[in-house]
Amino acid sequence: MLQEIDREKCTGCGSCFKSCGLDVFRLDTNQPSVAPCQWACPTGVDIRGYVYLLQQGKIRDAAEILMAANPLPALTGRTCHRFCEGKCARTKVDDAVNINALEQYVGDWVLGRSPEPSFIRHIGKIGVIGSGAAGMSCAYYLNRKGYAVTVFESEEQPGGLFRTAYPELASGVLDSQIDYLGKLGIVFECGVTVGDGREVTLEQLREKDYKAFLLAVGAAGDKTKRAVPPFSSVASITEDSLISVSPGAYVTSSKDVFAAGNATGGGNSVAHAIAGGREAAESIDRHINGWHLLEGRGDAKIRLENPPGAGIKSVPRLNRSSLTWREKGDQGFVFEEMLEESQRCMTCGSKAFAAFRDDCMNCYTCEMTCPEGAVVVHPFKENLPRTIPYETEGVR
Amino acid sequence: MKQEQFEHTFKADVLIVGGGFSGLWAAIGARRFVENVLIVDKGPRGWGGLGTMSGGDFQCVVRGQTKVEDALKDVVHYHDGLCDQEMIENILIQSYERFEHYERLGHLFLRDESGELKGIPQRGLKNMRMLLHRPYGAGGPSMATTLLKEVNRLGVRRIGRMCVTDIVKDENTGCVVGAVGYHTQSGYTCAFETPAVVLAAGAGAWKPSYLMSSSTGQGTYLGFRAGAETSHNEFVHVWNVPVMFGWEGQTGLLPLGARFVNAKGEDFMEKYYSPVLGSNTDVTYNCRGMAFEARAGRVPIYLDTTPMKPEDADIMRPERGWALNNFNRLQSDEGVKFFGEKTQWMPQVMWHSGGVVTDLSYQTRVEGLFAACRTRAIDPGVYMGGWALCTTAVTGYIAGGGAGELAKGKGRLGFNMEGARIACQEAMAPLGKEGLSPKDIMRELQEIVYPADVCLIKSEASLNRALERTKYVKQELAPRAAVEDPRQLAKLHESLSMLLCTELFVRASLMRRESRSGHYREDYPERDNENWLQWIYAAKDGKGEISLYPVSVPIERYKIKPHKYYMDNFTFPKS
Ligand SMILES: Cc1cc2nc3c(=O)[nH]c(=O)nc-3n(C[C@H](O)[C@H](O)[C@H](O)COP(=O)(O)OP(=O)(O)OC[C@H]3O[C@@H](n4cnc5c(N)ncnc54)[C@H](O)[C@@H]3O)c2cc1C
Ligand code: SF4
């Protein structure tokens, strides 16, 4: 019978969990120290947590964890700079886990299902100006918190840079993503420019029961090409034509006006914009409920010291569309590829435990595959009914 | 139509249920004909089933060393005439091809100084020899690595933690059109559209806590429910094992001097077997001897390794794999040295010999449904070292090839979504409810099958008792089993197949009123060729219940007319 797992020695690699024929082990991924991938991710997704769930095929639960930090995995799964993969501990064994493709898998899975509309619990509305990454992210989290959100977009179609900078998205997945957000209850008003002296002003919206705003209007990367955002009546605009916000709270000089994404200059990546939109949503919720904007936020995390790697068997990284029998067209992973690639994740820093010890059949596989010598199997079998019943005296 | 009922749907030319060595070989066989071959296993994706833990000993009729006909004679003798000669002959012929195949793929067998393959005769049968891989303990893992590498090269798809619960057939033609199941960790339901399914789910067994707890007869269960016949129902393999821990190597220890002794220190098998065989006898008969000793009160039984020469003990000392970890821990934690001392041993029911009936291409009577190795019944309760690995390779390869060829000819058929949906609903029904624990149901079944008067020295009275209790489990307990999560649901399905195997075993044991091979009836201790040179088949009747019927062994058609019998080497006390 499985005897013990030394928690001190356990690095969380999941070798026992992955190899046990009787499925005796589970992992606890909820640990104070953060895996290198999560540490590197601008949105701070609990990657080991959701990939562990993917290892078990639990796509719905994985989506929940992933989308708690990044609501647009189908888009980031195609566009993100993969900050996580650059720091993946698996690079020391062979190649980084294809986190990006896993993320896309979850994202596509989510978009493939029709969501229930969120229940709107709040009376006041929120206006999100700009439908790029930051705008969609903020709209999503506010919608989840029960707010009626309208996204205003000056272009004819929503998506911001997703639509203009990534033509390959425009064909399908971007529309599905927007459709999905629409089904949640988020309203997109396109071809409408909001701002000082424009078709619609914030003042008019305030009169129509809008309680707060997010300015997520983006900005050209090159300062010389950048237009001054038309919000000087509500926010201070920097010399570089960016909207100035207070760090961490994303609030402008007006209490009910917030800003995120490229319009504020922060980070300049899809992931940074998503994180900004999410944090701004939190601030807006706090603002409306009259709470302190910063209290208890941004809890200090510890970085994992010794991730696994030594003694882990090399397994080739699976890239999209690598199975020969696949029908052409869809480039994302299918279920079995997702399972296979997710198993490469070493769930760094988790702790293994014996969840179903009484199913152990004494095969020693876990003990032999554990690279840290943390798992100990005791030679004695389960005490079963005997063919010849007699009391045993001692071990021998 | 109602596609959304299934969380995942898969299309494959051939679906293989079980990723053990049989399943892996079936995939290699199937890939000769079709491209899209999918293996699913309720265990991990890459574990290779029980073979990975095996010693890697491989029965083989080596060309130039042994004649197939001589080997076949040995098996007919060993099986006491109850031998499907055409199938066995085929296995014996092709064992050499698969041996060559293994070596081609990089797994090499032991040769002596002159380069001759070292074949170790089994159970006193001159022509049945097994090939070894050294060092001791490395054989199984090496075979597993070799096979996994090959199926990867061939682009075979593999999914782990996937439990198949039913075969789906076309309503009109009765042909296989797919299967249903669920992912055991997530509980997502899955449909598989395929014209050919190979059952490679291992044998039936009763979770002996001895590296075999994954075998629970799900192949028999799937085949039986789909309408296939089963045979060899009345036989189980009883193995001998240490009371407290696991140990493999019996087949080598006894010929090298180790002895089973009773409480008085007597080498009790001397009373029961003929001097011709000596200690090199079949395990089932040793176990029967132990049961008779127990009846006479001369227990505990020990395996005494003190008669072994030190150099022979060295040969049998585990050097690799689980056996080495086990040995080290026994010494360090429990002070068990194993060599140079006595250890308490006992018989242990290891697996059900019963399985699905097929033709020579390993297709069942259900078109599109194939079965390999221990899912296909082959042996009447006796078993020689290396035979399982030989049959995984040979029968897996043939079954996979048959399935592939059939699939190639048929192409994709329409799926029976409604049938699939109903089957899936039934399978998932116990999930999320309160009820009896599957583990308790299994314990009941162990208590039915494990006693010596059911598995070793059978009688009308003891079997009737077992049958009554089986009926009680079937009617009163099993319907009340329920589980909270999908992982436990997989255990519940295991308990259901275990229940089917139990009933098949007990009822067929009652039916066979004679003794032969692994089946010993105290009340009918003699062989009865007149009435019982027959198999006992079982199949589902109109109400889904078990119907048992004898089927004659077609001796007139067979090459070898049985004339000597392995069982005649033994004399057991008559009451
Ligand atoms: C310790 C040990 C030593 C041994 N040594 C030797 C030896 O030296 N020589 C020899 O010849 N034999 C040996 N054997 C026996 C031999 O290893 C096995 O009989 C053989 O490997 C069985 O192979 P299989 O593929 O038929 O079945 P298995 O290996 O049992 O594979 C069946 C697979 O099917 C899966 N499965 C079952 N039901 C379902 C379902 N409903 N859905 C999905 N998947 C399912 C199981 O998880 C399993 O992986 C040994 C066995 C053990 C345990
Ligand atoms: S000894 Fe084998 S069955 Fe037991 S927990 Fe370890 S891997 Fe699982």
Side-chain angles (χ1 to χ4, degrees):
Chain A
M1 272 277 190
L2 174 64
Q3 187 174 351
E4 65 158 346
I5 305 160
D6 186 329
R7 273 183 76 86
E8 292 302 308
K9 288 186 184 164
C10 176
T11 58
C13 70
S15 297
C16 51
F17 159 71
K18 292 166 196 164
S19 64
C20 173
L22 278 289
D23 198 14
V24 163
F25 299 90
R26 287 293 177 268
L27 304 180
D28 187 352
T29 57
N30 216 341
Q31 300 294 332
S33 56
V34 165
C37 48
Q38 181 177 1
W39 192 265
C41 174
T43 69
V45 171
D46 175 9
I47 295 171
R48 90 177 151 214
Y50 93 78
V51 176
Y52 166 63
L53 290 165
L54 286 182
Q55 291 176 343
Q56 299 168 75
K58 297 180 175 173
I59 311 165
R60 185 176 295 118
D61 299 342
E64 209 163 285
I65 293 197
L66 171 51
M67 287 169 73
N70 168 11
L72 309 172
L75 300 182
T76 50
R78 291 171 164 89
T79 60
C80 187
H81 298 160
R82 311 177 177 211
F83 304 91
C84 50
E85 290 186 22
K87 296 287 180 219
C88 173
R90 182 105 210 176
T91 49
K92 301 226 169 65
V93 180
D94 35 44
D95 282 308
V97 175
N98 198 340
I99 303 172
N100 193 247
L102 294 174
E103 186 174 322
Q104 178 191 338
Y105 180 85
V106 176
D108 289 352
W109 186 88
V110 169
L111 296 189
R113 259 132 269 264
S114 211
E116 287 291 305
S118 300
F119 185 76
I120 303 303
R121 288 180 277 126
H122 299 290
I123 298 160
K125 293 191 233 167
I126 316 278
V128 170
I129 325 296
S131 63
M136 284 200 266
S137 165
C138 183
Y140 172 84
Y141 288 108
L142 287 169
N143 165 276
R144 285 318 220 183
K145 288 177 203 282
Y147 291 98
V149 182
T150 304
V151 180
F152 297 93
E153 171 58 54
S154 56
E155 297 293 327
E156 287 309 313
Q157 284 179 301
L161 270 187
F162 281 131
R163 192 169 297 278
T164 49
Y166 302 96
E168 68 278 9
L169 297 187
S171 56
V173 61
L174 178 59
D175 289 340
S176 314
Q177 180 69 67
I178 285 157
D179 193 47
Y180 176 88
L181 295 173
K183 284 187 182 135
L184 287 177
I186 296 168
V187 177
F188 287 88
E189 289 209 13
C190 293
V192 181
T193 313
V194 180
D196 300 344
R198 306 298 152 106
E199 284 170 80
V200 177
T201 63
L202 294 190
E203 202 44 49
Q204 288 167 345
L205 292 174
R206 280 185 181 128
E207 277 162 27
K208 287 191 185 153
D209 230 4
Y210 279 82
K211 300 284 189 210
F213 301 94
L214 177 81
L215 309 179
V217 291
D222 180 351
K223 206 143 67 190
T224 56
K225 295 194 186 127
R226 205 174 281 158
V228 179
F231 298 107
S232 45
S233 70
V234 287
S236 35
I237 308 295
T238 67
E239 282 173 14
D240 291 338
S241 301
L242 296 168
I243 301 170
S244 160
V245 289
S246 71
Y250 295 85
V251 67
T252 65
S253 47
S254 303
K255 276 205 301 202
D256 63 342
V257 181
F258 298 75
N262 286 5
T264 63
N268 264 328
S269 81
V270 168
H272 288 93
I274 285 175
R278 182 189 71 216
E279 291 308 306
E282 170 69 18
S283 290
I284 290 172
D285 184 37
R286 286 173 179 239
H287 160 70
I288 288 180
N289 287 294
W291 303 330
H292 193 284
L293 288 190
L294 286 175
E295 197 184 280
R297 279 174 83 172
D299 49 348
K301 294 245 161 85
I302 325 161
R303 186 176 182 162
L304 180 70
E305 286 298 338
N306 297 309
I312 300 284
K313 236 175 73 193
S314 172
V315 179
R317 170 181 161 119
L318 207 59
N319 289 308
R320 289 172 173 84
S321 206
S322 51
L323 292 187
T324 50
W325 49 268
R326 285 279 301 283
E327 283 151 29
K328 297 234 161 58
D330 177 9
Q331 296 301 299
F333 279 169
V334 293
F335 181 60
E336 64 211 80
E337 292 169 307
M338 176 281 283
L339 284 177
E340 191 179 339
E341 184 59 16
S342 65
Q343 300 277 334
R344 291 182 67 244
C345 172
M346 303 187 294
T347 45
C348 304
S350 307
K351 295 291 168 194
F353 63 98
F356 307 96
R357 192 190 299 264
D358 66 347
D359 284 323
C360 173
M361 63 171 179
N362 281 53
C363 72
Y364 288 86
T365 302
C366 50
E367 186 174 301
M368 291 188 289
T369 47
C370 176
E372 304 297 331
V375 186
V376 176
V377 177
H378 191 274
F380 287 3
K381 298 178 285 193
E382 208 176 326
N383 192 6
L384 296 172
R386 298 257 168 86
T387 292
I388 300 179
Y390 58 84
E391 287 308 311
T392 46
E393 320 121 24
V395 178
R396 269 158 261 168
Chain B
M1 229 170 51
K2 285 186 175 148
Q3 190 91 7
E4 69 276 6
Q5 286 287 339
F6 290 95
E7 202 62 49
H8 301 289
T9 50
F10 303 85
K11 289 188 169 69
D13 297 325
V14 173
L15 172 72
I16 299 167
V17 182
F21 286 9
S22 307
L24 294 170
W25 273 110
I28 296 172
R31 277 291 282 111
R32 287 182 299 154
F33 300 96
V34 287
E35 206 172 287
N36 183 349
V37 176
L38 172 61
I39 300 180
V40 297
D41 197 301
K42 68 179 175 177
R45 177 175 184 272
W47 79 314
L50 299 180
T52 310
M53 293 158 242
S54 73
D57 307 338
F58 185 87
Q59 274 281 339
C60 180
V61 180
V62 175
R63 230 172 257 163
Q65 273 186 9
T66 314
K67 285 217 266 330
V68 168
E69 181 156 339
D70 293 339
L72 179 61
K73 277 184 193 150
D74 272 1
V75 181
V76 174
H77 162 56
Y78 183 51
H79 286 182
D80 292 331
L82 203 61
C83 174
D84 186 332
Q85 295 190 17
E86 287 152 351
M87 181 177 67
I88 298 289
E89 185 178 20
N90 241 331
I91 294 174
L92 295 171
I93 293 169
Q94 298 198 23
S95 65
Y96 191 71
E97 288 160 32
R98 294 290 77 72
F99 146 78
E100 288 182 305
H101 203 150
Y102 262 124
E103 292 222 314
R104 228 172 25 244
L105 296 176
H107 174 87
L108 301 181
F109 293 90
L110 188 69
R111 289 171 162 80
D112 63 19
E113 305 77 45
S114 61
E116 277 282 297
L117 280 165
K118 244 185 139 74
I120 313 286
Q122 284 296 296
R123 314 294 189 235
L125 305 165
K126 234 178 40 249
N127 302 298
M128 293 306 297
R129 292 155 182 264
M130 67 183 193
L131 305 178
L132 313 175
H133 179 85
R134 279 296 176 265
Y136 187 38
S142 160
M143 282 178 158
T145 315
T146 306
L147 293 176
L148 287 167
K149 207 167 123 199
E150 178 64 358
V151 297
N152 281 344
R153 187 185 71 82
L154 294 171
V156 172
R157 305 158 62 189
R158 290 184 287 128
I159 309 180
R161 313 287 188 200
M162 183 72 84
C163 183
V164 171
T165 54
D166 265 300
I167 303 300
V168 180
K169 299 194 294 182
D170 183 81
E171 272 195 359
N172 301 316
T173 63
C175 299
V176 168
V177 289
V180 292
Y182 57 92
H183 187 257
T184 65
Q185 290 177 333
S186 63
Y188 285 143
T189 54
C190 301
F192 304 88
E193 295 181 30
T194 177
V197 176
V198 181
L199 299 174
W206 291 266
K207 286 199 183 280
S209 182
Y210 183 85
L211 307 111
M212 283 229 183
S213 297
S214 55
S215 312
T216 55
Q218 287 179 295
T220 301
Y221 179 82
L222 290 169
F224 179 86
R225 282 167 63 96
E229 295 165 298
T230 71
S231 72
H232 296 70
N233 299 293
E234 63 276 42
F235 300 102
V236 292
H237 285 261
V238 189
W239 200 240
N240 46 52
V241 299
V243 171
M244 298 303 288
F245 50 90
W247 193 278
E248 276 297 293
Q250 296 81 327
T251 331
L253 289 163
L254 292 172
L256 292 176
R259 286 291 168 270
F260 284 121
V261 296
N262 60 20
K264 294 178 166 171
E266 300 162 341
D267 179 355
F268 58 86
M269 282 310 287
E270 278 180 356
K271 288 184 290 207
Y272 303 128
Y273 57 52
S274 74
V276 190
L277 275 181
S279 53
N280 203 356
T281 179
D282 183 85
V283 190
T284 307
Y285 294 93
N286 279 335
C287 289
R288 201 180 294 160
M290 290 180 193
F292 275 110
E293 289 302 293
R295 188 175 273 191
R298 294 185 288 265
V299 284
I301 304 293
Y302 297 93
L303 179 79
D304 185 2
T305 54
T306 51
M308 293 178 79
K309 291 197 222 106
E311 60 271 28
D312 286 341
D314 281 344
I315 300 179
M316 295 311 297
R317 207 180 295 279
E319 277 186 56
R320 292 285 158 87
W322 69 269
L324 177 62
N325 289 42
N326 188 51
F327 185 42
N328 288 343
R329 188 121 327 119
L330 277 169
Q331 293 180 89
S332 64
D333 290 17
E334 302 299 337
V336 174
K337 294 201 288 292
F338 194 82
F339 295 101
E341 62 184 21
K342 291 194 303 185
T343 323
Q344 284 187 35
W345 283 57
M346 63 176 189
Q348 167 83 61
V349 172
M350 283 302 260
W351 68 92
H352 188 206
S353 317
V356 173
V357 178
T358 68
D359 61 17
L360 289 179
S361 74
Y362 293 87
Q363 185 165 213
T364 67
R365 70 177 185 183
V366 179
E367 192 177 316
L369 186 63
F370 295 74
C373 192
R374 284 181 180 173
T375 298
R376 187 340 170 174
I378 297 174
D379 314 312
V382 287
Y383 170 81
M384 41 200 156
W387 186 237
L389 292 185
C390 164
T391 49
T392 53
V394 174
T395 69
Y397 190 76
I398 304 175
E405 205 169 1
L406 179 109
K408 191 175 177 187
K410 279 196 160 179
R412 292 271 159 73
L413 311 169
F415 193 53
N416 174 2
M417 190 52 84
E418 189 55 19
R421 209 178 50 76
I422 292 168
C424 177
Q425 249 169 18
E426 189 197 329
M428 303 305 284
L431 184 60
K433 300 201 179 104
E434 300 214 328
L436 293 178
S437 139
K439 179 116 185 170
D440 282 37
I441 307 273
M442 292 187 201
R443 184 52 66 98
E444 284 290 318
L445 298 170
Q446 289 169 339
E447 283 178 9
I448 292 171
V449 172
Y450 283 176
D453 63 357
V454 177
C455 66
L456 284 170
I457 312 174
K458 310 176 189 180
S459 73
E460 189 94 12
S462 60
L463 290 169
N464 269 325
R465 233 185 306 119
L467 183 60
E468 280 315 303
R469 194 148 166 211
T470 308
K471 282 186 189 159
Y472 173 70
V473 175
K474 185 178 175 183
Q475 286 156 12
E476 303 294 328
L477 303 181
R480 286 167 49 207
V483 290
E484 274 173 22
D485 65 42
R487 183 195 175 278
Q488 297 306 96
L489 185 63
K491 303 289 158 190
L492 191 147
H493 283 123
E494 291 183 345
S495 75
L496 293 180
S497 40
M498 214 185 257
L499 171 60
L500 175 66
C501 290
T502 306
E503 188 179 353
L504 288 171
F505 168 61
V506 173
R507 287 184 49 186
S509 292
L510 268 167
M511 193 166 176
R512 183 177 286 281
R513 293 189 160 160
E514 63 144 7
S515 293
R516 186 186 300 269
S517 199
H519 170 81
Y520 186 76
R521 283 281 300 255
E522 195 175 12
D523 41 0
Y524 301 95
E526 306 300 335
R527 179 176 56 251
D528 176 3
N529 271 353
E530 193 119 326
N531 294 303
W532 280 110
L533 207 50
Q534 310 206 61
W535 287 292
I536 298 176
Y537 277 27
K540 202 166 66 161
D541 67 13
K543 293 191 203 116
E545 286 298 319
I546 296 170
S547 127
L548 293 164
Y549 46 94
V551 171
S552 290
V553 178
I555 290 293
E556 58 305 332
R557 208 172 74 206
Y558 283 171
K559 277 192 189 152
I560 318 281
K561 314 293 172 204
H563 58 94
K564 55 178 194 165
Y565 300 87
Y566 196 80
M567 62 186 286
D568 293 345
N569 286 306
F570 304 86
T571 3
F572 290 104
K574 305 253 159 66
S575 48

